[in-house]
């Protein structure tokens, strides 16, 4: 197997990286928030980008047949999901793809459900499109240390809040929960019963740990394809978010036609040419790199979990998927403002503020462990020093 570099800490300060944009970073604060990786790209991706630059022409591009083949091959091999080429609809990002779905399949003031805590753009996109935000707080299983879906509450909300759409995150962000086939089946049956369209954000599908298995929603039951859309991308798996290419998998022809119409109405049918090339390279040549990455991330997760659990009063939700860790600081009885001031000025780390994920995120923070182990060791030491037992 090729040896990849997961130890070099790239200097991203000079590259306008959002993660490193905060002025405090210049004074030694560690940014461990936005969900991208601090790992170097594997060589084939660099070669693809260089070849694009060397072409000296940057006009309009179209997606090649081979790109669609690589997407299909990846989904079938990694997730046992087979579908026709026509089912693939390219969009520049998963969040824009959610916006298209909201506009195509709901009307103003319709209810759209999300589980909270939730990736903040879910709520933002619903509200900016003048839809009614409906939330179901995830339950917490103390014994397993994991989130659970509150099926009884979801059903009541479907009945009473005129919910037309459910934006679902699988694996879940920020908790990293990988949903079982049983849970997905029960959720699908509820959506089917109450005529709710499900949008399944599966962008973290390849980043699953410790023997857990991601199940794409469309693989649970053929019937579910009639009322659901699956969204994914190579961008999270291979750290190429800036190249702007994702895809919606829409097997139902009626849904697909409506989605395509709205995509065109929004003028969102053109995809970044570099994104098309990088996505194809990632799926064609990136599997070996991904398999090498996984134990690196798992080691980082295990280290943070052990260190913070043993040396602080922080409750650590160990993720089954994603490289994001949900941290509960409630034992310290700090306001959200005081908590993040302490993280910034005493621990000297930047984490995502938990409250931005919904009211259930109060006294929480989200930590990104997709960085060299030396960085994770440093971050852990800083947090442990600032939040002693």
């Amino acid at each position: 197997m090729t040896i990849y570099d997961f130890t070099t800490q790239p200097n991203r300060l000079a590259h306008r990286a959002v993660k490193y944009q905060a002025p405090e970073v210049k004074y030694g604060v560690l940014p461990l928030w936005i969900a991208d990786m601090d790992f170097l790209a594997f060589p084939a991706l660099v070669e693809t980008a260089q070849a694009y630059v060397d072409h000296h022409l940057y006009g309009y591009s179209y997606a090649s047949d081979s790109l669609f083949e690589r997407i299909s091959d990846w989904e079938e091999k990694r997730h046992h999901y087979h579908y026709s080429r026509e089912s693939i609809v390219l969009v520049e990002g998963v969040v824009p793809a959610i916006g298209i779905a909201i506009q195509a399949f709901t009307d103003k003031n319709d209810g759209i459900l999300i589980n909270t805590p939730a990736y903040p753009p879910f709520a933002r996109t619903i509200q900016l499109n003048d839809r009614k935000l409906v939330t179901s707080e995830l339950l917490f299983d103390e014994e397993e240390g994991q989130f659970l879906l509150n099926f009884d509450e979801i059903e009541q909300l479907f009945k009473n809040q005129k919910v037309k759409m459910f934006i679902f995150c699988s694996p879940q962000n920020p908790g990293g929960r990988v949903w079982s086939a049983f849970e997905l089946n029960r959720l699908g049956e509820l959506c089917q019963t109450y005529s709710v369209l499900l949008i399944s954000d599966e962008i973290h599908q390849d980043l699953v740990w410790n023997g857990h298995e991601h199940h794409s929603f469309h693989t649970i039951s053929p019937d579910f394809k009639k009322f659901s859309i699956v969204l994914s991308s190579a961008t999270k798996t291979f750290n190429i978010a800036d190249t702007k290419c994702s895809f919606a998998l829409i097997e139902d022809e009626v849904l697909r036609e409506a989605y395509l119409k709205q995509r065109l109405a929004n003028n969102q049918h053109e995809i970044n040419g570099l994104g098309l090339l990088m996505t194809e390279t990632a799926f064609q040549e990136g599997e070996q790199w991904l398999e090498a990455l996984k134990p690196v991330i798992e080691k980082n997760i295990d280290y943070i979990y052990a260190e913070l659990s043993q040396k602080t009063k922080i409750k650590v939700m160990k993720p089954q998927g994603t490289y994001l860790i949900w941290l509960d600081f409630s034992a310290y009885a700090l306001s959200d403002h005081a908590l993040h001031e302490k993280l910034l000025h005493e621990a000297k780390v930047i984490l995502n503020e938990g409250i931005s994920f919904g009211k259930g995120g109060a006294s929480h923070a989200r930590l990104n462990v997709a960085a060299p182990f030396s960085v994770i060791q440093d971050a852990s030491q800083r947090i442990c020093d600032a939040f002693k037992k």
Side-chain angles (χ1 to χ4, degrees):
M1 176 179 287
T2 303
I3 297 175
Y4 299 103
D5 183 359
F6 296 112
T7 59
T8 297
Q9 170 67 356
N11 180 4
R12 302 182 66 188
L13 286 171
H15 293 274
R16 297 192 295 277
V18 173
K19 183 188 286 185
Y20 287 78
Q21 189 175 16
E24 293 87 357
V25 173
K26 296 179 182 178
Y27 301 100
V29 176
L30 283 178
L32 301 164
W33 61 292
I34 195 168
D36 67 13
M37 303 186 204
D38 283 347
F39 296 125
L40 297 172
F42 63 87
L45 279 177
V46 177
E47 292 164 8
T48 295
Q50 190 62 58
Y52 177 81
V53 170
D54 290 344
H55 190 55
H56 293 189
L57 284 170
Y58 313 112
Y60 294 108
S61 301
Y62 65 89
S64 66
D65 291 340
S66 54
L67 170 62
F68 290 96
E69 291 168 4
R70 296 295 83 73
I71 293 172
S72 296
D73 290 347
W74 184 268
E75 292 292 322
E76 185 164 13
K77 182 176 181 180
R78 302 289 301 195
H79 305 295
H80 316 295
Y81 180 19
H82 178 74
Y83 46 81
S84 67
R85 170 182 167 158
E86 291 72 24
S87 301
I88 305 171
V89 178
L90 298 177
V91 190
E92 71 266 35
V94 164
V95 173
I98 289 171
I100 294 171
I102 288 171
Q103 295 161 3
F105 301 112
T106 65
D107 296 315
K108 288 186 177 182
N109 301 316
D110 280 347
I112 301 180
L113 178 67
I114 61 173
N115 294 124
T116 51
Y119 178 50
F122 285 9
R124 181 188 72 203
T125 307
I126 292 166
Q127 292 171 318
L128 289 178
N129 279 283
D130 298 318
R131 273 56 169 179
K132 181 174 68 173
L133 176 64
V134 182
T135 62
S136 173
E137 194 75 17
L138 292 165
L139 303 174
F140 181 67
D141 184 331
E142 291 281 354
E143 185 175 340
E144 296 294 328
Q146 297 293 332
F147 281 140
L148 298 173
L149 292 164
N150 188 340
F151 288 108
D152 291 339
E153 180 180 64
I154 289 169
E155 183 167 18
Q156 289 305 310
L157 292 170
F158 281 0
K159 285 181 181 178
N160 301 325
Q161 295 295 323
K162 297 181 179 178
V163 172
K164 297 290 182 66
M165 178 180 286
F166 187 177
I167 301 175
F168 184 63
C169 198
S170 176
Q172 201 269 344
N173 174 10
R177 179 65 207 283
V178 176
W179 307 109
S180 69
F182 175 81
E183 290 168 307
L184 294 173
N185 187 68
R186 187 173 177 190
L187 183 60
E189 289 176 344
L190 283 174
C191 290
Q192 191 171 26
T193 298
Y194 293 98
S195 300
V196 173
L197 181 70
L198 185 134
I199 310 299
S200 186
D201 172 2
E202 302 185 11
I203 197 170
H204 290 99
Q205 64 178 356
D206 299 310
L207 302 169
V208 174
W209 324 119
N210 300 315
H212 294 282
E213 181 181 359
H214 169 75
H215 301 278
S216 185
F217 188 73
H218 281 171
T219 66
I220 301 300
S221 167
D223 291 340
F224 293 177
K225 299 173 183 180
K226 300 173 184 177
F227 58 84
S228 62
I229 293 172
V230 169
L231 306 176
S232 197
S233 176
T235 56
K236 202 65 66 178
T237 305
F238 297 103
N239 202 38
I240 53 174
D242 213 26
T243 64
K244 302 299 179 189
C245 181
S246 72
F247 51 90
L249 301 175
I250 314 175
E251 294 206 53
D252 182 83
E253 187 175 352
V254 174
L255 291 180
R256 187 166 64 248
E257 288 303 315
Y259 192 91
L260 288 168
K261 182 179 178 181
Q262 186 66 53
R263 185 186 68 158
L264 185 60
N266 294 356
N267 290 307
Q268 290 178 277
H269 56 292
E270 294 176 348
I271 309 300
N272 182 297
L274 180 59
L276 298 173
L277 295 170
M278 295 286 270
T279 296
E280 183 172 349
T281 297
F283 283 145
Q284 182 169 323
E285 302 190 47
E287 187 169 36
Q288 200 174 60
W289 180 87
L290 175 60
E291 291 307 310
L293 168 75
K294 293 177 83 169
V296 174
I297 299 291
E298 289 183 278
K299 178 182 178 181
N300 289 353
I301 290 170
D302 290 344
Y303 184 83
I304 286 287
Y305 180 81
E307 289 289 297
L308 270 55
S309 297
Q310 293 169 14
K311 298 178 180 179
T312 75
K313 294 185 287 185
I314 301 167
K315 293 182 180 178
V316 184
M317 184 177 289
K318 191 172 185 180
Q320 299 172 339
T322 82
Y323 47 71
L324 308 166
I325 301 184
W326 192 234
L327 303 176
D328 180 356
F329 291 83
S330 56
Y332 295 91
L334 297 169
S335 69
D336 287 294
H337 177 74
L339 168 61
H340 288 278
E341 285 292 295
K342 187 177 179 71
L343 283 165
L344 178 61
H345 297 295
E346 292 187 37
K348 294 192 180 300
V349 296
I350 302 174
L351 309 184
N352 289 92
E353 296 186 15
I355 196 66
S356 69
F357 293 79
K359 64 180 181 180
S363 300
H364 286 71
R366 192 189 75 173
L367 186 153
N368 175 353
V369 297
F373 184 61
S374 60
V375 175
I376 300 307
Q377 285 179 303
D378 187 7
S380 175
Q381 186 65 54
R382 294 179 187 208
I383 294 170
C384 289
D385 287 346
F387 292 89
K388 292 183 173 68
K389 278 190 174 181

